[in-house]
């Protein structure tokens, strides 16, 4: 069965960096685009970034463009999100997601808290 | 960027009664390929979101047929024909037509 398992979250100081990982299994990872979505405490969902199946294209939300970088390693079935220059408003649960017309899968999320 | 606006913010419903959630986009969601990429998600407390509907009106596998989606252009609706206890939580619409993608603010469904 499809599994997406995020890791790498934690408490980090403002202006510091963090890299989140998403381990994928149960499907042909290299064939599908991958997304990151976050949810601040008590708030709604915010789409962050997408990367094409072969890594050739990436799109970002305006709120994270220039600070966050999405990447993938198809040989390891891994998705990454590098978070730089972190701010208090980046505090959220970060989800990875893969979707097509036929299916839509989310991980359980990894929490990131930006605090001094 | 496309702004997705949901209403109402909160929806108290009686078990067995219908419920309806509206979602409006700031621009047409008709893609150049002719499809309209409007999805609906349900999120229970402490859980990851689950997609219910894709491309306006297509139910995902395993989604009960009491859920239906409709609409076109900029106006969309999610309907629950008879609300059950397991339907509580927050519902989100999301557009997948224009970059960057965007979610509505959510509608919290609770039982009266």
């Amino acid at each position: 069965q499809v599994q997406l398992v995020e890791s790498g979250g934690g408490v980090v100081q403002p202006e510091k960096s963090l890299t989140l990982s998403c381990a994928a299994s149960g499907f042909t990872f290299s064939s599908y685009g991958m997304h990151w979505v976050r949810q601040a405490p008590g708030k709604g969902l915010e789409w962050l970034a997408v990367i094409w199946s072969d890594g050739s294209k990436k799109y970002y939300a305006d709120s994270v463009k220039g600070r966050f970088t999405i990447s993938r390693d198809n040989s390891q079935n891994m998705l990454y999100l590098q978070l730089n220059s972190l701010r208090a408003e980046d505090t959220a649960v970060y989800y990875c997601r893969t979707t097509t017309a036929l299916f839509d899968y989310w991980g359980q999320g990894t929490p990131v808290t930006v605090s001094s | 960027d496309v702004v997705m606006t949901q209403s109402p913010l909160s929806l108290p419903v009686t078990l067995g009664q219908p419920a309806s959630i509206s979602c409006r986009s700031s621009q047409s969601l008709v893609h150049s390929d002719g499809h309209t990429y409007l999805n609906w998600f349900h999120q229970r407390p402490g859980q990851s979101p689950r997609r219910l509907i894709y491309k306006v009106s297509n139910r995902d596998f395993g989604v009960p047929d009491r859920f239906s989606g409709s609409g076109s252009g900029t106006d969309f609706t999610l309907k629950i024909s008879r609300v059950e206890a397991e339907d509580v939580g927050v519902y989100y619409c999301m557009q997948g037509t224009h970059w960057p993608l965007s979610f509505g603010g959510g509608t919290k469904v609770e039982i009266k």
Side-chain angles (χ1 to χ4, degrees):
Chain A
Q1 74 281 20
V2 172
Q3 273 201 310
L4 297 172
V5 180
E6 303 93 337
S7 61
V11 180
V12 60
Q13 293 178 330
E15 293 304 313
K16 297 296 187 183
S17 297
L18 200 63
T19 299
L20 307 182
S21 301
C22 171
S25 61
F27 65 107
T28 307
F29 180 74
S30 59
S31 295
Y32 298 99
M34 296 294 299
H35 301 248
W36 285 99
V37 177
R38 71 181 177 185
Q39 187 169 35
K43 302 296 184 182
L45 301 170
E46 180 184 15
W47 178 85
L48 297 179
V50 63
I51 185 168
W52 254 229
S53 59
D54 61 358
S56 60
K57 280 189 178 179
K58 305 173 186 180
Y59 289 97
Y60 296 92
D62 292 344
S63 59
V64 303
K65 198 179 299 182
R67 295 192 303 125
F68 291 7
T69 302
I70 189 171
S71 62
R72 65 191 296 157
D73 182 345
N74 285 346
S75 69
Q76 299 292 320
N77 290 353
M78 293 293 296
L79 174 72
Y80 303 100
L81 186 67
Q82 183 174 353
L83 292 62
N84 295 329
S85 304
L86 282 162
R87 308 165 179 165
E89 54 264 36
D90 295 319
T91 294
V93 174
Y94 286 72
Y95 297 98
C96 61
R97 172 191 178 221
T98 188
T99 181
T100 70
L102 296 179
F103 62 79
D104 186 90
Y105 293 105
W106 297 62
Q108 84 289 347
T110 186
V112 173
T113 300
V114 183
S115 173
S116 54
Chain B
D1 297 359
V2 178
V3 177
M4 304 296 290
T5 304
Q6 287 182 234
S7 61
L9 238 58
S10 176
L11 184 57
V13 295
T14 302
L15 288 174
Q17 293 300 302
S20 180
I21 300 170
S22 171
C23 175
R24 289 185 174 171
S25 56
S26 60
Q27 56 185 277
S28 173
L29 298 186
V30 180
H31 194 275
S32 57
D33 65 7
H35 294 289
T36 300
Y37 295 97
L38 187 283
N39 302 318
W40 289 96
F41 294 85
H42 176 219
Q43 185 179 33
R44 296 189 179 101
Q47 294 187 13
S48 302
R50 173 198 182 191
R51 193 177 70 182
L52 301 175
I53 302 284
Y54 62 95
K55 286 196 284 187
V56 181
S57 59
N58 297 276
R59 271 191 306 275
D60 271 279
F61 180 77
V63 174
D65 61 8
R66 65 179 181 273
F67 290 93
S68 63
S70 63
S72 63
T74 60
D75 288 333
F76 305 92
T77 302
L78 176 71
K79 291 183 179 176
I80 310 174
S81 59
R82 295 173 305 280
V83 172
E84 298 190 4
E86 65 182 18
D87 300 337
V88 299
V90 183
Y91 290 80
Y92 297 93
C93 59
M94 192 211 87
Q95 66 86 14
T97 297
H98 302 285
W99 302 109
L101 308 187
S102 47
F103 287 91
T107 296
K108 186 174 184 178
V109 171
E110 54 189 11
I111 304 300
K112 281 183 184 174

